[in-house]
């Protein structure tokens, strides 16, 4: 997962050292923040209602504070849970709805940029074998 502010991808930390990247929650979604963006991102991160810490994680539809261990249910994603209203009908002059897009086996959000990044990483590691 890339940094939510700048898009930099996380690299493995040096052996024996912890990662300088920080996890956080923004609008009920877990994000990663790279070391360069952490000072600016601190204001964007949600805070614990009990202790005020920004050290929150989201897992299994719950948000947990890693400082005081308060666990609360995450708010539902309004876009995903809203049902279409029956009173809204498309205008009579509109075009027929487009057929659903073919779903690929690739993960959502993956694309040519990610494929190129993976190819560069393999080239660095394997050295053009």
């Amino acid at each position: 997962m890339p940094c939510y502010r700048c898009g930099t991808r996380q690299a493995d930390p040096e052996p024996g050292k912890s990662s300088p990247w920080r996890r956080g929650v923004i609008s009920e979604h877990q994000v990663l923040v790279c070391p360069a963006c952490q000072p600016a991102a601190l204001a964007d991160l949600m805070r614990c209602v009990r202790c005020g810490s920004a050290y929150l994680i989201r897992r299994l539809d719950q948000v947990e504070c890693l400082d005081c261990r308060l666990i609360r249910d995450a708010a539902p994603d309004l876009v995903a849970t809203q049902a279409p209203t029956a009173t809204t009908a498309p205008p009579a002059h509109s075009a027929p709805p487009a057929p659903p897009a073919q779903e690929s086996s690739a993960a959502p959000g993956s694309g040519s940029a990610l494929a190129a990044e993976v190819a560069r990483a393999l080239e660095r590691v394997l050295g053009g074998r």
Side-chain angles (χ1 to χ4, degrees):
M1 181 185 324
C3 174
Y4 90 99
R5 290 184 60 92
C6 68
T8 301
R9 291 215 171 257
Q10 184 177 16
D12 290 335
E14 295 178 31
K17 293 189 177 181
S18 63
S19 174
W21 287 60
R22 183 176 184 145
R23 291 180 289 181
V25 175
I26 297 175
S27 300
E28 301 295 330
H29 295 280
Q30 183 162 314
V31 296
L32 277 179
V33 184
C34 71
C37 293
Q38 286 177 11
L42 196 56
D44 297 342
L45 298 175
M46 293 179 72
R47 302 274 179 176
C48 175
V49 295
R50 181 189 292 164
C51 70
S53 171
Y55 196 28
L56 304 177
I57 60 169
R58 178 176 172 159
R59 61 178 165 222
L60 300 174
D61 292 331
Q62 293 182 329
V63 176
E64 179 180 354
C65 175
L66 295 178
D67 283 338
C68 72
R69 297 297 181 194
L70 175 70
I71 298 174
R72 65 170 175 82
D73 289 334
D77 188 5
L78 297 177
V79 175
T81 59
Q82 283 182 337
T85 58
T87 59
T88 306
H93 64 280
S94 68
Q102 294 279 341
E103 292 199 24
S104 67
S105 60
S110 65
S112 60
L114 179 59
E117 185 176 340
V118 169
R120 287 190 304 271
L122 287 172
E123 182 65 28
R124 279 193 313 268
V125 171
L126 299 177
R129 287 186 185 180

